[in-house]
């Protein structure tokens, strides 16, 4: 039983962590919490099932088209729900604009895809029991994504430009960095990360339109616990959340596990409002 809790907890936690990184990637260049992050992960599962099961595409092509589709949705998010808000004095309206777009994505998916969970294909056909690929694939995808992001941010000019915008977009613009183009690119990158989350977790979560709302919340919790904008904190928070949730499922079961997650969430935020790995934002003037 312990092995089952660990396997399922780490798998779910890796998916939550990737959604948390999706939140952070969009936030870093816009200072907007886009509540389409969970929808991007949901679309990763839906697109993957559609391309490979319904259209019969091979794994590599289906995977690439899934990431491309999610990247396009990420860019649409920036144009439709974020850019107009950034031009407004009432920038807190992003809560309404991104939530509205998230609901539109969810309802369109329900109409076009269906309201019942659809199967997701086995990708490699490896493993069984607690070593089944549906448990270890999200963990591998999460690790590969973080390694890729670290390389991007530390060893490429585009990645360093992302970091500059995230640190101080006013100073970055003064230095001539194309802030708007970088913001669009970051939303495309966030779409790719969300697509990876949904695609790698497809066997575990299935292709289901309602996964978007679920992942929106469970992906936000690691961000709040780990500290807004802190990807390493989101990874640790996501894995911890997955393990805690699965242990609560085993101990108290069903809906009470969600109550336990909410309780933990509130306790941690009361004790550390900036998150366990976050710090108060400061601006030099």
């Amino acid at each position: 039983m312990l092995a089952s809790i660990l396997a399922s907890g780490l798998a779910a936690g890796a998916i939550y962590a990737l959604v948390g990184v999706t939140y952070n990637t969009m936030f870093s260049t816009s200072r907007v919490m886009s509540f389409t992050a969970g929808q991007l992960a949901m679309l990763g599962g839906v697109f993957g099932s559609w391309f490979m099961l319904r259209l019969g595409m091979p794994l590599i092509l289906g995977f690439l088209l899934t990431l491309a589709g999610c990247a396009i949705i990420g860019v649409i998010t920036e144009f439709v729900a974020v850019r107009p808000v950034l031009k407004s004095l009432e920038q807190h309206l992003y809560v309404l604009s991104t939530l509205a777009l998230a609901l539109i994505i969810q309802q369109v998916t329900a109409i076009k895809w269906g309201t019942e969970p659809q199967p997701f294909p086995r990708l490699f056909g490896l493993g069984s029991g607690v070593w089944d690929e549906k448990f270890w694939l999200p963990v591998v995808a999460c690790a590969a994504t973080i390694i890729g992001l670290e390389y991007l941010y530390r060893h490429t000019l585009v990645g360093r430009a992302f970091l500059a915008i995230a640190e101080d977009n006013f100073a970055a613009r003064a230095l001539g960095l194309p802030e708007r183009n970088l913001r669009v690119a970051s939303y495309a990158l966030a779409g790719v990360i969300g697509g990876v989350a949904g695609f790698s977790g497809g066997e575990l979560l299935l292709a289901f339109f309602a996964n978007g709302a679920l992942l929106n919340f469970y992906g936000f919790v690691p961000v709040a616990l780990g500290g807004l904008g802190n990807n390493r904190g989101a990874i640790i928070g996501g894995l911890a959340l997955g393990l805690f949730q699965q242990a609560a499922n085993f101990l108290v079961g069903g809906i009470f596990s969600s109550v336990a997650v909410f309780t933990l969430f509130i306790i941690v935020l009361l004790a550390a409002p900036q998150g366990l790995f976050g710090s108060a934002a400061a601006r030099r003037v």
Side-chain angles (χ1 to χ4, degrees):
M1 185 57 69
L2 178 60
S4 178
I5 292 174
L6 288 175
S8 58
L10 288 175
I15 297 171
Y16 301 155
L18 283 173
V19 178
V21 173
T22 303
Y23 271 115
N24 282 339
T25 302
M26 291 188 281
F27 176 82
S28 63
T29 55
S30 64
R31 289 299 182 264
V32 166
M33 284 295 296
S34 176
F35 295 101
T36 57
Q39 307 299 335
L40 291 169
M42 176 271 291
L43 289 174
V46 169
F47 283 155
S49 180
W50 182 44
F51 288 132
M52 291 189 292
L53 284 185
R54 293 196 180 180
L55 301 182
M57 294 182 180
L59 170 60
I60 297 299
L61 181 58
F63 177 63
L64 292 178
L65 288 177
T66 295
L67 298 189
C70 291
I72 291 172
I73 299 298
V75 172
I76 291 173
T77 299
E78 197 279 334
F79 275 95
V80 173
V82 174
R83 185 172 299 187
V85 171
L86 293 180
K87 296 178 181 178
S88 169
L89 293 177
E90 302 293 334
Q91 292 192 5
H92 63 276
L93 291 176
Y94 73 80
V95 175
L96 296 178
S97 63
T98 59
L99 273 176
L101 182 58
L103 288 174
I104 291 172
I105 293 172
Q106 179 171 297
Q107 294 308 311
V108 170
T109 303
I111 293 170
K112 298 295 185 181
W113 179 250
T115 57
E116 296 296 325
Q118 302 294 323
F120 193 91
R122 282 183 66 78
L123 300 179
F124 302 105
L126 300 176
S128 61
V130 296
W131 296 106
D132 191 275
E133 66 180 32
K134 70 179 180 181
F135 295 125
W136 56 259
L137 193 57
V139 178
V140 171
C142 182
T145 299
I146 292 303
I147 292 172
L149 286 176
E150 285 295 316
Y151 180 84
L152 173 70
Y153 290 145
R154 305 300 175 188
H155 300 287
T156 68
L157 290 177
V158 173
R160 291 174 181 174
F162 280 148
L163 291 178
I165 293 292
E167 182 68 25
D168 192 326
N169 62 344
F170 297 102
R173 277 185 292 179
L175 292 174
L177 290 178
E179 184 220 1
R180 180 176 297 179
N181 293 339
L182 287 170
R183 189 171 66 241
V184 172
S186 74
Y187 273 72
L189 177 61
V192 169
I193 296 171
V196 169
F199 194 91
S200 64
E203 294 181 55
L204 189 66
L205 301 177
L206 302 179
F208 187 32
F209 84 101
N211 283 342
L214 181 75
L215 292 175
N216 255 341
F217 171 70
Y218 284 119
F220 178 75
V221 172
V223 173
L225 296 181
L228 190 58
N230 189 324
N231 283 343
R232 295 178 184 177
I235 296 298
I236 296 172
L239 294 176
L241 173 63
L243 290 171
F244 178 81
Q245 182 190 42
Q246 295 305 314
N249 271 331
F250 172 70
L251 294 174
V252 297
I255 191 172
F256 294 105
S257 64
S258 298
V259 174
V261 170
F262 275 108
T263 303
L264 174 67
F265 180 53
I266 293 172
I267 291 173
V268 171
L269 288 187
L270 286 174
Q274 299 296 331
L276 296 177
F277 304 95
S279 58
R283 178 175 171 80
R284 186 169 55 193
V285 294

